[in-house]
Amino acid sequence: MKKKLTAFGKTIATQAAAAENPTMDVPIRALSNIKYDKGTGLITMGEKTAKRFFFNIAHVKKFVQTVAVARVSKGLSEENKSMSLRQVFYALRRTLPGTNIDIVDEQTESDAAVEDLELMTDALREQLRINANKSGSVAGKVVIEDRGDTIDWSKLGSGGWSVPSNVESIKFKKIEAKFVVYMEKAAMWERLNEDKFWEKHNCIIISSQGQATRGIRRLLQRLSTDHNLPIYVLTDFDPWGFYIYSVLKFGSISLAHISERLAIPKAKFLGLSADDVERYGLGRHKIKFKDVDHTRLKQIEKYAWFKDNKEWQRQFEMMKKMSAKVELDAIVSKGISFISEKYLPDKIKEKDWLE
Amino acid sequence: MKKKLTAFGKTIATQAAAAENPTMDVPIRALSNIKYDKGTGLITMGEKTAKRFFFNIAHVKKFVQTVAVARVSKGLSEENKSMSLRQVFYALRRTLPGTNIDIVDEQTESDAAVEDLELMTDALREQLRINANKSGSVAGKVVIEDRGDTIDWSKLGSGGWSVPSNVESIKFKKIEAKFVVYMEKAAMWERLNEDKFWEKHNCIIISSQGQATRGIRRLLQRLSTDHNLPIYVLTDFDPWGFYIYSVLKFGSISLAHISERLAIPKAKFLGLSADDVERYGLGRHKIKFKDVDHTRLKQIEKYAWFKDNKEWQRQFEMMKKMSAKVELDAIVSKGISFISEKYLPDKIKEKDWLE
Amino acid sequence: MAKEATAKTAETLAKEQRAISVSEFFEKNRHLLGFDNPTKALLTVVKEAVDNSLDACEEARILPDVKVIIKPLEENVFRVTIEDNGPGIVKQQIPHIFARLLYGSKFGRGKQSRGQQGIGISAAVLYSQLTTGKPAIIYSKPDKNKKTHMVELKLDTTKNEPKILKEEDLEDGLKHTGTKIILEIQGKYIQSKHSVDEYMRQTAIMNPHANIRYENAAGEKSDWKRTVDKLPPLPKEIKPHPHGVEMGILERMAHNTDSRTVANFMQNDFCRVGSTSAEEMCRLAGIAPNAKPRELTSEQVRKLYDAIQKVKLMRPPTDCLAPIGEKMLEEGLKNETKAEFVNAVTRDPVVYRGNPFQIEAAIAYGGDLAKTQSGEVASDEAVQQPAKLIRYANKMPLLYEQSSCALTKAVQGVTWRRYGMNQPGGGLPHGPAVIAVHICSTWVPYTSEGKEAIASYPEIIEEIKLAVQEVARSLFQYVSGIRKTEDRAKRQKLFEVYIPELAGDLAHLTGEKKEKMEEGLKKFLKKNVAKIIEEGGDNGEAAKE
Amino acid sequence: MAKEATAKTAETLAKEQRAISVSEFFEKNRHLLGFDNPTKALLTVVKEAVDNSLDACEEARILPDVKVIIKPLEENVFRVTIEDNGPGIVKQQIPHIFARLLYGSKFGRGKQSRGQQGIGISAAVLYSQLTTGKPAIIYSKPDKNKKTHMVELKLDTTKNEPKILKEEDLEDGLKHTGTKIILEIQGKYIQSKHSVDEYMRQTAIMNPHANIRYENAAGEKSDWKRTVDKLPPLPKEIKPHPHGVEMGILERMAHNTDSRTVANFMQNDFCRVGSTSAEEMCRLAGIAPNAKPRELTSEQVRKLYDAIQKVKLMRPPTDCLAPIGEKMLEEGLKNETKAEFVNAVTRDPVVYRGNPFQIEAAIAYGGDLAKTQSGEVASDEAVQQPAKLIRYANKMPLLYEQSSCALTKAVQGVTWRRYGMNQPGGGLPHGPAVIAVHICSTWVPYTSEGKEAIASYPEIIEEIKLAVQEVARSLFQYVSGIRKTEDRAKRQKLFEVYIPELAGDLAHLTGEKKEKMEEGLKKFLKKNVAKIIEEGGDNGEAAKE
């Protein structure tokens, strides 16, 4: 990694020393440069790049920021440490002498510089030693090795293993589990853990709070790709839940350049679907749509990967008709452990999922 | 617990069967019934109660809700299971026959009924088997036993143990650690964990994301009270950070009735203080106050437990003068591991904290 | 083409000076008289004629029958006919009344009437000839045993004088005494809140003692039958009150009076001045009480004026005012709105700047007002529209300039929430209601010549608020009476529904029998139902929770 | 006290009828003439006199010197003196001009002037005697070699005639030709945006060819010196355009004309009618071209009227209008505001409803306008107040009714963001600016007799918008020009500051020498500085990023 960063710097340094206008080629991260690849089932990035110049009033700030991030990242490599995006923002901040100009004013600027650098060095953010948020728990029949510790995910009581923001260095020592259930709510995870669902059904349960972090996405991806485990996704019945699934499975627009290292094409949506709402009589727990929900749904149904998928379009239509969402938690009204004793086993057995 | 709930029901059932107006005495949870006990250093609840009647148009809905929560809680006891507050809300929901009235319309209603029941049965919510959110990680020189698993907090790699929402049943097998550092940010926890701070300094590090969950508060309280470990709190330099500390140490107004089981009178505030901002030259990372910050600060400085504390009032004054906040993350601008190598060791050694 | 412009001198400028006839002035400035645009012009023509008819009938103590027909002739041209059964007009006066601006009986005479200026109907004639070139046709029959007199006339604007085109006595003219006027005008007929239709409707409300027949431009006929067989009392004329007179007018009055001494002048030409007050005034002004008023110098008038302000006087008499009265206002409003509830109030007369005035207010609520056009009961949401406000000044509807009118401001100034009505944004209250407000005065302070809105004198606004609050209070009592009954039923039902729920939960909790508890609770409810649903609960203190 | 009311008959009613003098009418309705309240009354008195003075000077081609003094006498009583160096008024005319309503030279004469009605100054005299009882004092000197004539007079309202109290020729009167009027009135003096002070200030802007001296009620003196030594051109009179004439007026003109034939009548009494058009009209109307116009029946006039509408005519000539002109407007505005940038535009004349009108607009920006009262340069925030809008009609400032005026609506209708100014809530633009808008016309369509606001004709609003956009555009170019220069310096500095930063980071990243890179970068900057800071960057395409 250090080498890549030095090489990146060398090109620019050479131009500078030669009294040329220093330049870098930045792949364009706009929707126009994004494609949905039906073959792999992934959102991927096109070939378009933009030239960024130092001596250009519109570019100079970003140019300097990108180089500054490279410098910080190289420092992390050398010290064998890592930082969060927020911390990178602060590490970058310095006021230029004799002015009130700062290298970065908002974290969005340093975040963008990090993404640009990922693209130009073809490295994962985690390889740049910059971490996203840490969140989520895992339990199940798996033994891993991480930083010299051997950790058995089936021997962690009521808490489970806390998923780190960076899972690149963990090694899977033993995997007995046959599948993975991922859910967006920690309360549901505690329900399943209390019911020892993963023990009874020989699986792994993973939760985050809301949108899956990069750590969790990488973890799920490695379990899917490297270890061939089916990944089942549980979310609320709402546009946001659909979006969580969409990002897990196909990748996201902003991280399209690393879809193949984050997306899980084989992920399956286990609910709540519109059919689940009907089948389990959850209609009375509907929460009316707000305008923002309608807008979100309209965006999602136009995604290239959903556009021609009749099953999904049917779900969108039904949701539109209901004009309401239903939370996964509502299923508790059918019984405390209905989720683990009935809902999940039935759905998996009947292959009642969406893809 | 089951007994307590049955007894609670019995009183009411007897009144009902005797054709009397069923009634319950609910301790009043308003600020007027809250006291700050200088002796114990805790926020505690007064003696005032209100009578709640079934046959009273203003009471009937709450009355029925409270009984309904008792019923759900008893069911959880019988099945040896637990639920989140959100799940309790759904478990309560049912439409009364022939009307469009629901037992509960909003989660705030069921949450209030849960708190009332806690008060009337003198039980922790966790004993009622109703859990708050799960969040946070822990690492350090401690071995616990939980649900039959033995868990070594020092052997959990980069993730740590995921703190459950309910820590009542964990047993401390071996505690080598000499103190605890609690911080509000997961990224800071990862920094300290990567630096093996807990190993080098023989301590425990615990984080949540933002306000500490009840699980974490109980965990810290047990380590402080039962095991006599000093608790050091690290937050941002802003009114919200001060508030996090205030709640940890003195208890909160809404949960005053269980302060003695949640509050940690011996907790120490390790920063960021206004002096830290100056001492470490973090002034340039100030983020300007918004109106809401001013309001919050004004509330906090009037708290009975801060009112006569000169040291704290000095902090509030300095913050007011700065009219800005500074994030803990900003300290990274001093060096990647400045926090673990310099800031924390110095502060602890110099006893440079606030109480 | 254009005259060459050259420098002028005082001499040349003098040659250009000339007197302008008042008709020329208003011809050019007709918007001042309510002829701003074709829609309003049509309304103004009808209004001026109807006001005159009603005034004349009342002065002659005849129960009015008024007929109005608007017949479209070609696009934007109408023939307007207004006929009444009043006293008619004597032959010699017809041309002056209808074709001379500033000619009339009502100007500044200290008495309440619809018309005040002696300008309205001649302005209508002027507008008519200006836009269609047609003369006005007048029929008048002052004696039911004699022939009807017919005149065709125009107004000579350069002289402000009538020009008679044709004149004859007809055998088969009007059937009874009265007046009829026919005008052809350019105008525009619309059906909106500013329309002639709305004006006729509001006029009918304010005049339940009149038969009113109306045929609009679409050929639709309306017929408001008289519901009250009694004329409202005739207002009396009063002399000006000294505290309402300005210095220039005082001087003019002194120089024109028939009184021989200043003391007599003060007593005879004003109201509320007795001999003591008159002498006090003279003393304060340093004028001999027997001085001749015609010989007062400007300086003396000024002293007299100052002296008058210092002498305490009774307020002016108020029998010069003729409100419509609570009963008649309620009749009129009920008749037109078919509301479920109607209440009116007539306040006692009050004085502003020496001018007496009196406020009446009424409110109509529910009934047809809460129904849709097809007659169904409208949903709660649908009736939550702003209430309709109708405004009157001296019994005349005011249709324009609602927002700048003191009547509107006063109604908006009432805190309607106190009376159980919503008032989003502090405007008019919302609900299925009509609110009517009437100001009568010997001198109504209009904001403009168009007589469209009332000026915002604080005294007037305050009186209106008091009147409106009074009717609002009675409406509130009525509505809350209804709501109470509904609420009781709802409350009882609520407990009946909750009883099995509570019993069920308790049974689960304790293992005891559900039925037993249900029975006990039902028994308690039955025994204490009145108390529970009336007072809401068992005890006062805890109920505050 | 009050006269007993009894039923009236046509006979008794007839006895009450009388003619009302126009003075009585306006005495009672003085709010129609701008005397609504004491504050406004004071302004109206000054305004009517100053307008007359400026009109008279311009007609006599004299560069105006006008002096206005407001002297407080007692609480709410003022002596107002207005003196000019105009042509004066001949002896015989003085009483009529100052003490007879509806007498003047400007009424409906198809020419632009400040006054239009022949009513304003007599109304001021009427108001003065009404509120203080004092006569008006007039000095006039038409010939500088003769004595000054002095008259004290009042207005007899019952007859609408002047009443002379005193009259004499003075040796030591006015020093030059001109007129001077002294009135004592009740009023109220305030310093606000509706004040006399503001009126004088705005008048000075519009009349840079006048010397104006003003002493306000607080004794503060202002002196606006003439900055232009040339009178604006005198507008010419035009005859009415046939397409702007109404039927009733056509009939009156036909019956009063000196022309012998209808064809001649159309050619002589109207503008833009040649013999071909006149004959075409007659043909269409079915009237012989040599018919006598005085003998036309109403029906024939009507046909003629319809025929006129069908014949195409040239638009009316527009040399009857006298805009102030771009240069003079800029002078006036610059002089008063001490702004950094001033630009004015005079649009070509246009026609609405047969009446020609013309729009002028000007904008002043920055300079003293961006300074605080104490003269410091105000902060960016402080100057982000709504711009001040000043409105003129026929060179007269309009102070009241800003929000309902077409001039305001048009200015608000401009999308100011396009010209680099904020416009929160779609109102006036914000910034250190004054915007002036002037409409001149032979017949300005005021919304009321008070001449306070312009009616919203779409043609007028459109013209104003075009004018305002034009000055806004020039302001925008000016401001962005300044910004450009500032920007250039900033840009160069920016790169100079960034160079060591980039070099430093690269040195860390690659281990190469910082100095070497810094040198290279500086060299490149020096060589390409123009290109980099002008165009912003190296290449067009990528710069879009």
Side-chain angles (χ1 to χ4, degrees), chain B residues 10 52 55 57 59 71 94, chain C residues 501 505 512 536 542 545:
Chain B
K10 272 270 159 104
R52 184 175 293 166
F55 284 112
I57 197 72
H59 300 173
R71 175 193 163 164
R94 63 178 190 267
Chain C
E501 298 301 317
D505 278 352
E512 304 204 8
E545 186 193 350

Side-chain angles (χ1 to χ4, degrees), chain C residues 1-5, chain D residues 110-112 232-239 271-272 315-323 348-351 355-358 440-442:
Chain C
M1 297 287 305
K3 235 192 266 179
E4 240 345 288
Chain D
K111 178 172 158 182
Q112 174 193 331
L234 197 60
K236 294 166 186 173
E237 273 182 56
I238 56 161
K239 290 172 187 164
C271 67
R272 298 306 195 205
R315 301 189 134 203
T318 49
D319 47 4
C320 51
L321 298 175
D348 286 337
V350 192
V351 174
N355 299 305
F357 74 98
Q358 191 163 8
C440 47
S441 175
T442 47

Side-chain angles (χ1 to χ4, degrees), chain C residues 207-223:
Chain C
N207 295 278
H209 61 288
N211 275 332
I212 298 178
R213 286 164 69 187
Y214 169 54
E215 187 176 332
N216 71 12
E220 296 158 352
K221 289 176 189 172
S222 310
D223 202 345

Side-chain angles (χ1 to χ4, degrees), chain A residues 11-164:
Chain A
T11 323
I12 300 165
T14 311
Q15 292 169 322
E20 287 168 16
N21 191 348
T23 172
M24 49 178 87
D25 290 313
V26 192
I28 291 173
R29 276 183 286 117
L31 195 61
S32 61
N33 197 26
I34 298 291
K35 271 176 251 161
Y36 169 58
D37 183 331
K38 279 193 187 172
T40 62
L42 293 177
I43 303 170
T44 56
M45 198 138 170
E47 299 293 314
K48 291 185 212 161
T49 62
K51 269 206 175 320
R52 183 176 293 166
F53 291 92
F54 175 69
F55 284 112
N56 178 311
I57 198 71
H59 299 176
V60 60
K61 192 159 194 189
K62 280 190 180 179
F63 194 100
V64 172
Q65 287 165 350
T66 315
V67 175
V69 168
R71 173 193 165 164
V72 168
S73 177
K74 186 170 170 242
L76 289 168
S77 264
E78 281 163 357
E79 296 195 44
N80 205 15
K81 289 181 177 170
S82 56
M83 271 187 189
S84 72
L85 283 168
R86 187 74 184 158
Q87 289 168 339
V88 169
F89 165 66
Y90 281 111
L92 241 51
R93 269 167 74 84
R94 64 176 190 267
T95 307
L96 304 192
T99 71
N100 57 0
I101 302 170
D102 207 305
I103 296 277
V104 282
D105 294 315
E106 303 285 343
Q107 194 189 326
T108 48
E109 294 170 4
S110 53
D111 288 0
V114 169
E115 285 183 18
D116 287 345
L117 197 64
E118 281 185 87
L119 285 166
M120 284 186 285
T121 58
D122 195 29
L124 272 187
R125 185 178 309 171
E126 288 74 9
Q127 296 171 317
L128 293 172
R129 303 195 161 256
I130 298 166
N131 298 331
N133 290 330
K134 173 185 198 309
S135 165
S137 315
V138 62
K141 297 240 190 165
V142 172
V143 178
I144 64 161
E145 196 183 300
D146 181 28
R147 299 222 179 172
D149 298 329
T150 300
I151 305 157
D152 187 340
W153 287 357
S154 66
K155 298 224 183 310
L156 290 168
S158 54
W161 192 56
S162 186
V163 182

Side-chain angles (χ1 to χ4, degrees), chain A residues 145-210:
Chain A
E145 196 183 300
D146 181 28
R147 299 222 179 172
D149 298 329
T150 300
I151 305 157
D152 187 340
W153 287 357
S154 66
K155 298 224 183 310
L156 290 168
S158 54
W161 192 56
S162 186
V163 182
S165 57
N166 185 333
V167 298
E168 299 311 312
S169 59
I170 73 172
K171 287 192 193 95
F172 292 101
K173 305 284 282 186
K174 195 172 108 189
I175 300 185
E176 274 182 53
K178 298 298 173 216
F179 62 91
V180 181
V181 179
Y182 164 79
M183 63 222 81
E184 59 163 317
K185 297 210 170 166
M188 194 53 76
W189 186 92
E190 287 204 298
R191 170 85 271 115
L192 294 182
N193 191 40
E194 201 170 70
D195 293 345
K196 293 269 178 198
F197 181 80
W198 51 267
E199 193 161 40
K200 284 179 200 151
H201 294 275
N202 198 14
C203 67
I204 302 167
I205 57 174
I206 303 183
S207 82
S208 66
Q209 199 66 265

Side-chain angles (χ1 to χ4, degrees), chain C residues 91-92 94-95 149-152 164-169:
Chain C
K91 218 187 237 182
Q92 300 75 19
I94 294 175
H149 190 67
M150 191 282 290
V151 192
E152 278 187 34
I164 293 168
L165 305 184
K166 193 174 162 192
E167 191 165 19
E168 58 184 314
D169 284 330

